[in-house]
Structure formats: structure tokens, C-alpha cells
Amino acid sequence: MNYWLIKTEPGTWSWDDQVKKGVEHWDGVRNYQASNNMKAMKVGDRCFFYHSVNEKRIVGIVEVVKEYYPDHTDPAGRFGMVDVKAVEPMPRPVTLAEIKADERLAELPLIRQSRLSVMPIDPESWRIICEMGGLAQ
């Protein structure tokens, strides 16, 4: 299993929206690096669900349930999407400030490439962040 972080603006698509919908496609990604990360996702991979903009915090975990396929919102047909389902909320959301303050997480793309909307998370960082949020992994 691989681990990822996917960002969303909570005013556009929030954790609550994801939970209500259950399974939903992750569309609208228009950055080639983020798109390539989505192409690498496999069914069963887990993703941190990150609220961007004003919140800047990880609020839940989703699982990839359908691998990369064409994004119906891209008229040019260059980009794709994956489907994810809500797995569980973070008992305690983990903020970007907390992540930046932990030197063990200094190499995360979330810190080094802050504008990237879909990024890999290494297994050790996944474990650390889960512990920070009150999840045993």
C-alpha cells in the first residue's frame, strides 16, 4: 500500500461532503506532477484528506477505490481522476503548523512543494502524522 495526501478547499469539497457522498471522484487536478501522482495510485492506497486555504489541516483518511481514468471536467482530455471513499476522520485534525514544527517531517512535499495538490507520503511520515492525530497505525 502507498500513502498520499490530497488537498481540497473545504468551501468547494469538504470532509463532511466526502463522508455524505461516501465514494466520489477526485477531479479537477490540472497540475502535471499532481496528475502523475494520481496515475501512480492503486486501489487500496490511503490518502490524508487535507483542508487547504484557511484551515490547513489533515481532517480525515480516504481510500482509493478506482484507479486513474479520464476526468470528465477536462475538455482537452489531458487529465484524469481517481475515486476515493471516506474511511475515517482524524480524531484530532493535524495542522500544517504542527507538521512544520516536527523536524521528522521536514522533507514532506507538503512543506517543500506547498502548492502541490496531490503528493506522496512515505510510510514513516504517515505513521507519525497518524499518531499526531490520535490514530494507531
Side-chain angles (χ1 to χ4, degrees):
M1 178 188 323
N2 291 309
Y3 300 105
W4 309 90
L5 182 143
I6 54 177
K7 290 183 179 180
T8 181
E9 296 180 14
T12 303
W13 187 255
S14 71
W15 174 252
D16 289 341
D17 295 328
Q18 183 70 47
V19 169
K20 286 177 192 164
K21 186 75 176 198
V23 173
E24 183 62 17
H25 46 265
W26 201 261
D27 63 5
V29 173
R30 298 295 182 266
N31 171 284
Y32 284 102
Q33 186 175 1
S35 180
N36 286 337
N37 287 336
M38 287 178 32
K39 286 177 184 176
M41 291 179 170
K42 301 295 178 204
V43 169
D45 284 358
R46 295 282 172 104
C47 311
F48 285 130
F49 193 100
Y50 182 90
H51 278 177
S52 61
V53 189
N54 295 331
E55 291 187 30
K56 297 181 183 171
R57 62 189 187 153
I58 296 170
V59 296
I61 295 176
V62 295
E63 182 177 316
V64 176
V65 295
K66 183 174 181 182
E67 293 175 16
Y68 195 83
Y69 63 102
D71 183 339
H72 65 276
T73 68
D74 177 18
R78 285 183 281 223
F79 293 96
M81 59 189 178
V82 298
D83 289 358
V84 297
K85 73 172 180 179
V87 174
E88 62 185 315
M90 293 298 277
R92 190 186 70 71
V94 179
T95 67
L96 178 59
E98 291 173 303
I99 291 168
K100 284 182 173 181
D102 192 318
E103 63 186 35
R104 299 173 296 173
L105 302 172
E107 297 302 314
L108 278 182
L110 183 61
I111 295 168
R112 300 177 61 80
Q113 295 177 282
S114 62
R115 297 195 50 129
L116 190 61
S117 64
V118 178
M119 61 193 69
I121 302 290
D122 65 273
E124 180 63 10
S125 296
W126 179 271
R127 185 192 63 73
I128 291 166
I129 294 169
C130 284
E131 283 180 5
M132 292 168 75
L135 290 176
Q137 292 292 307

